[in-house]
Amino acid sequence: MSERLVVIGGDATGMSAASQARRLKGQEELEIVAFERGRFTSYSACGIPYWVGGDVDGPDGLIARSPEEHRKRGIDLRTGTEVTEIDTEGRRVRARSVDSGEEYWTSYDHLVIATGARPIRPQLPGIDAPGVHGVQTLGDGETLLASLRATAGLRAVVVGAGYIGVEMAEALIRKGYDVTMVNRAGQPMSTLDPDMGHLVGDAMTGMGITMVNDAAVTELLTGDDGRVRAVRTEAAEYPADVVVLGIGVRPETSLAGAAGLPLGPAGGLLTDLAMRVRGHEEIYAGGDCVEVLDIMSGSTRHIALGTHANKHGQIIGTNVGGGYATFPGVVGTAVSKVCDLEIGRTGLREKDAEAAGLQYVTVTIESTSRAGYYPGAATMTVKMLAERRTGRLLGTQIVGREGAGKRVDVAAVALTAGMTVERMTTLDLGYAPPFSPVWDPVLVAARKAVRAVAADHT
Amino acid sequence: MSERLVVIGGDATGMSAASQARRLKGQEELEIVAFERGRFTSYSACGIPYWVGGDVDGPDGLIARSPEEHRKRGIDLRTGTEVTEIDTEGRRVRARSVDSGEEYWTSYDHLVIATGARPIRPQLPGIDAPGVHGVQTLGDGETLLASLRATAGLRAVVVGAGYIGVEMAEALIRKGYDVTMVNRAGQPMSTLDPDMGHLVGDAMTGMGITMVNDAAVTELLTGDDGRVRAVRTEAAEYPADVVVLGIGVRPETSLAGAAGLPLGPAGGLLTDLAMRVRGHEEIYAGGDCVEVLDIMSGSTRHIALGTHANKHGQIIGTNVGGGYATFPGVVGTAVSKVCDLEIGRTGLREKDAEAAGLQYVTVTIESTSRAGYYPGAATMTVKMLAERRTGRLLGTQIVGREGAGKRVDVAAVALTAGMTVERMTTLDLGYAPPFSPVWDPVLVAARKAVRAVAADHT
């Protein structure tokens, strides 16, 4: 007799899980039903800023696999269908057609919760006015593009200065907008230490972006037509023809929470290493709705990134399909760019290390992406945290131009392996003048970190 | 009473060692005498192809630290002075002024042998004719540039298709030459497996380079003026206004060999992990004249690369200066480019694995440097070797365009850490559409390698 897998959410995790399970088990063994509230599946939300900026054709260009393609592969995909309740006792979910309102129960043997994240929308006056946009779904992208077409004005305010904020700033600059970023913190990119965030802020100011730091939005002002016309903070008012919210996201776990499933401190589902919801062998969860183990701190964190979502889906599908795979956790790697500025980070910031009870030394160096004499060699700044006494690498942050962002991958693998900065100094990294100075910038930082660890010892 | 350090060779290893030792010990504690046969010190021979190609100003632009700068830092640097004998019993070296022929003995407490490598020049008729050039020293670069200016012809033949050969091919194309590469093997880049080398060959053909494989040069033909006019192989003759030899290099260890110091199978000095010549606590050696431990195979290899030479110098200087540092070995990472083609390799090729007694599976995948929908996403091919049964990564080769070369660093660190391909599939690498697909190409290869290891098991 065949089993049934039910998937809630038709994006990266859900459909990767469904596809991988289908690869391992045929239709006679496993029935797969997937519910998706919207009309798109398996799309790259991370591509929305580039679609808005005009670099990428959307929404079709951002869709890895359409509903029809999934159906052809033997997945009973039900778009426009929302799951409204999970009955863990009865092993069934209640689904509702968004259009018709029709409701029905579907039972499962295995359940995958892949409900993603929702953008944070602070309850401010004017937040729902036309011209104020989040950028989470392909629908959001369509709405924002329509809104940009609907106004002749070219003043954009981006609220929030995390990676979505900076990517949207680039998109709007490319479209010819004057961009103002309003940001609560003292500098953009709170995923970096403040000193490195300041470098990003300085570079963005150099690109002509007006950076407003230490500023909380209190109200969105609207014009006579009801459309947003300005962003107000306690100190000032910034005219805006369009406002983009890039304040961050929270795990979408209202359904899971209502079903009594375990949530962590950031509101995400808690799973074991096989991505099974803790205490529920038949329920899996992954992607933007879960918290992941941060290998460096030993705590769980919420990180909404497509690369994790895809890995989770793959692992869940393998396990549902009768194989075996686990997700050992993250070290916290992220890369982003704003125009020609590249930002990479992995591991712990100073405050993360402190929160984890780790003592550390930090060093910062400047180097170049290529041999200093080679054309296009661009300066980059590398900050490194190493543990006191042991010299174990704890984190690395890089801000620079071309070649800066992905260099952080070397540190990410070194973190995963638990390497000391001493061992890192002799890493056999690729060298040729067009690719790197004879000492790769990451190795230069490691050398300085070795000296800092030694000096701290004495 | 002060000790004396004598350094033979004023390039990367020798002068890094001298500088680091000087940093740790002042002149009252340590006298440093460095002998250099030529007139340049601390230069980037790796930059010569870019100087010849016109991308870089030379020779000054390639000199990291001049003789005067070294002298200012308290190093008794004697350029134009050749060491002709090492007396290990008497702990002294005999030096000779290249200009005056004057000879004298200098005693040492610590000796650093950093005599580098010499290009292979097969004893062929015509090999010494004007217009036939090696590219090992800055002097070679000057001579080649003068030679290019001396002829109006634009037909260049590059003999050898390793990384120096392909870099010189790019340089000559940039200067407007018709380039023919004559190569003994069936494809260029013998540091790659043949299947990956063929990709490079196809790409180079696409750039308009005439690739002549499976061809050994038998003679260099000269014209009435004595200058080279053609390269002859057994099968054909290739007209040449200039010939560049890129056949490879051998360790320059005639001095060390005559002194009875231990040489390995590739002719390089053998050292311990502190870079001391085996059996001689007071003699260090590093850079292009030594063999290094290949961590993956457990054997020693000769690898002439500036990045290793600099690391060796740093380690030797630390040890001479009373500190402690070791060189744990290499995994065999190298990157090169020819025009817009990037080539990265690390770890073992198939034949290296076989020679080491390792059994393996191989996989090859195609992916892109950025998200497939992002502008500039370029195809790359990744080949991966994993050990049978254990699934341990053994090697990775990448051929592609922008973003392909340095991606091999991730595999280099994974090799160093002894990671399995299974563990690699969940590596937390930087992801954003301008930097990588949601599955980085290295991870795509690792996933396929996991399946190949599993299939091999059964």
Side-chain angles (χ1 to χ4, degrees):
Chain A
M1 210 186 83
S2 98
E3 295 190 313
R4 184 184 292 146
L5 164 64
V6 167
V7 174
I8 310 175
D11 201 359
T13 299
M15 297 320 293
S16 289
S19 303
Q20 173 68 357
R22 175 54 74 230
R23 236 170 263 134
L24 298 177
K25 283 198 171 166
Q27 305 208 37
E28 67 293 347
E29 279 189 285
L30 186 71
E31 183 191 354
I32 304 179
V33 180
F35 295 104
E36 164 57 41
R37 186 164 47 186
R39 61 191 165 96
F40 301 112
T41 52
S42 304
Y43 61 87
S44 173
C46 348
I48 295 172
Y50 310 100
W51 171 27
V52 173
D55 276 329
V56 168
D57 287 333
D60 290 350
L62 298 179
I63 296 172
R65 201 172 281 176
S66 70
E68 294 65 39
E69 290 173 291
H70 284 300
R71 288 181 190 123
K72 265 189 215 146
R73 287 163 200 249
I75 296 166
D76 177 0
L77 175 65
R78 306 181 189 177
T79 48
T81 310
E82 191 169 30
V83 171
T84 57
E85 189 180 341
I86 302 169
D87 171 10
T88 60
E89 283 289 310
R91 300 200 174 185
R92 57 182 192 156
V93 301
R94 187 165 59 185
R96 182 177 61 197
S97 161
V98 173
D99 286 341
S100 72
E102 185 202 344
E103 292 204 350
Y104 55 92
W105 287 93
T106 301
S107 65
Y108 62 79
D109 299 290
H110 312 278
L111 178 66
V112 175
I113 303 176
T115 43
R118 60 169 186 277
I120 296 169
R121 279 182 89 90
Q123 286 317 303
L124 297 170
I127 191 85
D128 294 320
V132 181
H133 299 274
V135 275
Q136 177 71 6
T137 65
L138 291 186
D140 293 341
E142 286 179 324
T143 310
L144 171 55
L145 280 163
S147 173
L148 295 177
R149 283 189 295 267
T151 169
L154 287 172
R155 295 163 307 177
V157 174
V158 176
V159 181
Y163 73 94
I164 295 177
V166 302
E167 287 169 1
M168 287 308 303
E170 171 177 342
L172 293 161
I173 284 176
R174 292 179 71 84
K175 289 186 91 79
Y177 283 77
D178 272 338
V179 177
T180 299
M181 294 198 84
V182 180
N183 168 34
R184 269 171 192 257
Q187 63 290 318
M189 295 303 289
S190 63
T191 52
L192 303 178
D193 281 324
D195 50 345
M196 297 297 280
H198 275 296
L199 293 182
V200 175
D202 291 347
M204 291 179 70
T205 302
M207 292 167 194
I209 298 171
T210 304
M211 300 296 301
V212 182
N213 296 315
D214 295 310
V217 174
T218 54
E219 190 179 354
L220 295 140
L221 304 174
T222 51
D224 294 343
D225 58 356
R227 190 180 165 92
V228 71
R229 65 167 180 83
V231 172
R232 180 177 281 169
T233 67
E234 282 184 8
E237 206 177 289
Y238 302 94
D241 300 299
V242 67
V243 174
V244 174
L245 303 176
I247 310 174
V249 297
R250 279 202 217 291
E252 175 55 272
T253 49
S254 46
L255 207 55
L261 297 176
L263 304 181
L269 276 157
L270 296 176
T271 74
D272 64 14
L273 296 173
M275 304 307 297
R276 299 178 304 190
V277 172
R278 288 189 199 167
H280 296 264
E281 286 196 8
E282 73 289 0
I283 307 180
Y284 294 81
D288 291 4
C289 68
V290 304
E291 297 188 17
V292 289
L293 174 65
D294 176 343
I295 298 170
M296 300 310 299
S297 70
S299 313
T300 60
R301 293 174 56 191
H302 179 241
I303 303 179
L305 269 179
T307 186
H308 299 325
N310 274 279
K311 290 189 184 93
H312 292 170
Q314 176 76 18
I315 287 162
I316 292 169
T318 299
N319 290 328
V320 169
Y324 170 65
T326 59
F327 187 75
V330 303
V331 293
T333 310
V335 290
S336 20
K337 71 183 270 290
V338 45
C339 301
D340 67 343
L341 188 77
E342 297 190 1
I343 304 155
R345 58 96 63 226
T346 188
L348 305 178
R349 294 166 299 184
E350 295 197 35
K351 70 177 180 185
D352 301 324
E354 280 154 24
L358 295 166
Q359 295 189 12
Y360 59 89
V361 298
T362 74
V363 295
T364 302
I365 62 100
E366 272 203 4
S367 182
T368 53
S369 57
R370 308 176 183 188
Y373 55 78
Y374 193 87
T379 304
M380 71 178 75
T381 304
V382 182
K383 176 172 181 171
M384 205 170 261
L385 275 73
E387 191 177 20
R388 277 189 70 186
R389 301 191 64 86
T390 70
R392 183 169 56 106
L393 180 69
L394 295 180
T396 301
Q397 297 163 40
I398 307 182
V399 174
R401 307 282 160 163
E402 191 196 15
K406 278 291 265 182
R407 241 179 187 92
V408 86
D409 280 352
V410 163
V413 185
L415 284 172
T416 306
M419 275 187 195
T420 62
V421 287
E422 177 98 34
R423 181 63 186 89
M424 288 179 74
T425 61
T426 51
L427 278 175
D428 186 5
L429 303 183
Y431 163 64
F435 295 97
S436 172
V438 73
W439 289 95
D440 190 279
V442 173
L443 303 191
V444 176
R447 283 171 64 186
K448 189 167 178 184
V450 168
R451 295 196 293 274
V453 170
D456 172 78
H457 242 307
T458 54
Chain B
M1 210 188 83
S2 98
E3 294 191 312
R4 183 183 294 146
L5 164 64
V6 167
V7 174
I8 309 175
D11 200 358
T13 299
M15 298 321 292
S16 290
S19 302
Q20 173 68 357
R22 173 55 73 232
R23 237 171 262 131
L24 298 177
K25 283 196 171 168
Q27 307 209 33
E28 66 293 344
E29 278 188 284
L30 185 71
E31 184 191 352
I32 304 179
V33 180
F35 295 104
E36 164 56 39
R37 185 164 46 183
R39 61 195 164 93
F40 301 112
T41 53
S42 304
Y43 62 86
S44 173
C46 347
I48 295 172
Y50 310 101
W51 172 28
V52 172
D55 276 330
V56 167
D57 288 334
D60 291 351
L62 298 180
I63 295 171
R65 200 171 281 174
S66 69
E68 294 64 41
E69 291 173 290
H70 283 300
R71 288 181 191 123
K72 266 190 211 142
R73 287 162 201 249
I75 294 166
D76 178 359
L77 174 65
R78 306 182 189 175
T79 47
T81 309
E82 191 169 29
V83 171
T84 55
E85 188 180 344
I86 302 169
D87 171 10
T88 60
E89 283 289 311
R91 300 202 174 183
R92 57 183 190 155
V93 302
R94 187 165 59 183
R96 181 177 62 196
S97 163
V98 173
D99 285 340
S100 71
E102 186 202 344
E103 293 203 349
Y104 56 93
W105 287 93
T106 301
S107 64
Y108 63 80
D109 299 290
H110 312 279
L111 177 67
V112 175
I113 302 176
T115 42
R118 62 168 185 279
I120 296 169
R121 279 181 88 88
Q123 285 318 302
L124 296 171
I127 191 85
D128 293 321
V132 181
H133 299 274
V135 277
Q136 176 73 5
T137 66
L138 291 186
D140 292 340
E142 286 180 324
T143 310
L144 172 57
L145 280 163
S147 173
L148 294 177
R149 281 189 297 267
T151 169
L154 286 172
R155 295 164 306 177
V157 174
V158 176
V159 180
Y163 72 93
I164 295 177
V166 302
E167 287 168 2
M168 287 308 304
E170 171 177 341
L172 292 162
I173 284 175
R174 292 179 72 83
K175 290 187 93 80
Y177 284 77
D178 272 337
V179 177
T180 299
M181 294 197 84
V182 179
N183 169 33
R184 268 172 191 259
Q187 63 290 318
M189 294 304 289
S190 62
T191 53
L192 304 178
D193 281 323
D195 50 344
M196 297 297 279
H198 274 296
L199 293 181
V200 175
D202 290 348
M204 291 178 72
T205 302
M207 292 167 194
I209 298 171
T210 304
M211 300 297 299
V212 182
N213 297 315
D214 296 310
V217 174
T218 55
E219 189 180 355
L220 296 140
L221 304 174
T222 51
D224 295 341
D225 58 355
R227 189 179 165 93
V228 72
R229 65 166 181 82
V231 171
R232 180 176 283 170
T233 67
E234 282 183 10
E237 206 179 290
Y238 303 93
D241 301 299
V242 67
V243 173
V244 174
L245 303 175
I247 311 177
V249 297
R250 279 202 215 293
E252 175 53 271
T253 50
S254 47
L255 207 55
L261 297 177
L263 303 182
L269 277 156
L270 296 176
T271 74
D272 64 15
L273 295 172
M275 303 307 297
R276 299 178 304 189
V277 172
R278 288 189 199 165
H280 296 263
E281 285 196 8
E282 72 289 359
I283 306 180
Y284 295 81
D288 291 3
C289 68
V290 303
E291 296 186 19
V292 290
L293 175 65
D294 176 343
I295 298 170
M296 300 309 300
S297 70
S299 313
T300 59
R301 293 174 56 189
H302 179 241
I303 303 179
L305 268 179
T307 186
H308 299 324
N310 274 278
K311 291 188 183 94
H312 292 169
Q314 176 76 18
I315 287 162
I316 292 169
T318 299
N319 290 328
V320 170
Y324 170 64
T326 59
F327 186 75
V330 302
V331 292
T333 310
V335 290
S336 21
K337 72 184 267 292
V338 45
C339 301
D340 67 343
L341 187 78
E342 296 189 3
I343 304 155
R345 58 97 62 226
T346 188
L348 305 178
R349 294 165 300 182
E350 295 196 35
K351 70 177 182 186
D352 301 324
E354 280 154 24
L358 294 167
Q359 294 188 13
Y360 59 89
V361 298
T362 74
V363 295
T364 302
I365 62 101
E366 273 205 4
S367 182
T368 53
S369 57
R370 311 175 181 187
Y373 54 78
Y374 192 87
T379 303
M380 70 178 76
T381 304
V382 182
K383 176 172 181 171
M384 204 170 260
L385 274 74
E387 193 177 20
R388 278 189 70 186
R389 301 189 65 86
T390 70
R392 184 168 57 105
L393 180 69
L394 295 181
T396 301
Q397 297 164 39
I398 308 182
V399 173
R401 308 280 161 165
E402 190 195 18
K406 279 289 264 182
R407 241 178 187 97
V408 85
D409 281 352
V410 162
V413 185
L415 283 172
T416 306
M419 275 187 196
T420 62
V421 287
E422 177 97 35
R423 181 63 186 89
M424 288 180 74
T425 60
T426 51
L427 279 175
D428 186 4
L429 304 183
Y431 163 64
F435 295 97
S436 173
V438 73
W439 289 96
D440 190 279
V442 173
L443 303 191
V444 176
R447 283 170 65 186
K448 188 166 179 186
V450 167
R451 294 196 295 274
V453 171
D456 172 77
H457 243 307
T458 55

